[in-house]
Amino acid sequence: MRLHYIQHNPFEDLANIALWAEDSGHHVSGTKIYAGEMLSGKADFDLLVVLGGEMNIYQEDRYPWLAEEKRFIRGAMDGGKTVLGICLGAQLVSDLLGGRVHKNRYREIGWHKTRLTSAASYSKAFRGFPDSFMAFQWHEDAFDLPAGAKGLASTAACANQAFELGRNVGLQFHLEVSRQSISRLIENFGDELPPERFVQEREEMLSAEDHLKELYRHLKIFMKNIELMVDQD
């Protein structure tokens, strides 16, 4: 499988997806769009992974490359590619499918219990998942479900955490994080950690070794499911 990713800043990369892809023998390429790398002409992939970032999807005046990125993702969808959006990426995918992106009621940062909905039992992406699991969160915006999509997961702070529509999958939460990638988020966005109901302290996020091990097990199941979606007729 050929995986291509879009990266929006220097410190939110594929993290453990890269580890999974290497172990699985997949080819990985990427576009660091924040650094001026162009997406045009890059269509030689089977799976597009759109990563997280600190920007809002509507800030094209501040991040002009967002317009190009939206066109590229739309082209991948129209071309029958499998598209996985994570956090900001999920918001972009939802928007392109007709969903609305808006400020969430709560800022949600850290480890939070994520519960699958009854609709997830019919999901290809979440086949083999437990009914609830600890996932890592770092967001203040959220997406509405695109028309025709079912909500697949939720948390106490955010009703829409995942959706699947055709070959398009969106995750508000992060399955891909490692201890190192969490450290980079804290280093770069540490000022976003005021004492709020759903915002954890640095030490709590970084000391969750059991959560990290469990999360990687879930990531491997999830990415294998995505791989099967890519291979489907």
Side-chain angles (χ1 to χ4, degrees):
M1 183 177 72
R2 301 162 302 170
L3 182 159
H4 190 81
Y5 65 92
I6 303 176
Q7 186 171 341
H8 301 104
N9 59 43
F11 41 85
E12 290 189 75
D13 56 18
L14 281 178
N16 278 338
I17 293 178
L19 180 61
W20 169 83
E22 181 179 358
D23 289 345
S24 302
H26 297 311
H27 174 75
V28 176
S29 61
T31 299
K32 296 178 173 60
I33 199 166
Y34 67 90
E37 295 182 4
M38 302 298 292
L39 286 163
S40 57
K42 296 182 179 177
D44 190 21
F45 59 85
D46 306 300
L47 169 64
L48 178 64
V49 179
V50 188
L51 297 172
E54 71 275 22
M55 57 288 301
N56 181 283
I57 71 159
Y58 303 121
Q59 291 180 307
E60 294 179 10
D61 54 339
R62 188 172 176 183
Y63 304 97
W65 42 258
L66 276 169
E68 178 201 1
E69 180 176 11
K70 291 175 183 178
R71 288 192 295 270
F72 185 83
I73 298 170
R74 180 77 260 177
M77 292 175 175
D78 293 344
K81 307 289 188 181
T82 302
V83 179
L84 168 62
I86 300 171
C87 200
L88 171 70
Q91 294 163 12
L92 284 163
V93 172
S94 174
D95 173 73
L96 289 166
L97 293 172
R100 183 177 68 97
V101 176
H102 53 88
K103 193 75 69 180
N104 195 46
R105 179 180 180 185
Y106 300 106
R107 186 165 9 197
E108 189 177 29
I109 297 175
W111 295 97
H112 295 280
K113 178 161 286 191
T114 304
R115 293 178 172 83
L116 296 185
T117 67
S118 58
S121 61
Y122 304 101
S123 165
K124 296 175 182 177
F126 286 97
R127 186 183 293 116
F129 261 64
D131 292 338
S132 66
F133 54 94
M134 296 298 290
F136 192 78
Q137 306 275 353
W138 199 300
H139 69 102
E140 58 181 47
D141 289 342
F143 55 78
D144 287 342
L145 297 174
K150 299 290 188 181
L152 302 178
S154 65
T155 61
C158 183
N160 293 323
Q161 287 282 348
F163 69 87
E164 181 180 324
L165 185 59
R167 291 179 177 268
N168 308 301
V169 179
L171 304 180
Q172 185 59 65
F173 55 87
H174 295 269
L175 286 176
E176 83 284 3
V177 291
S178 62
R179 193 177 193 281
Q180 292 74 24
S181 66
I182 294 173
S183 295
R184 291 195 297 269
L185 283 169
I186 292 172
E187 179 182 349
N188 286 275
F189 297 131
D191 57 350
E192 294 186 11
L193 300 175
E196 295 180 10
R197 181 178 176 186
F198 295 102
V199 177
Q200 293 177 352
E201 295 183 354
R202 294 169 171 81
E203 294 74 16
E204 187 174 2
M205 287 188 273
L206 290 170
S207 62
E209 291 299 329
D210 289 344
H211 292 340
L212 282 165
K213 291 176 182 177
E214 179 186 43
L215 195 71
Y216 187 54
R217 289 195 295 269
H218 294 327
L219 173 70
K220 289 191 288 185
I221 295 170
F222 180 82
M223 292 306 299
K224 182 63 178 178
N225 289 340
I226 295 294
E227 183 183 349
L228 291 173
M229 290 176 67
V230 170
D231 292 339
Q232 71 184 11
D233 294 332

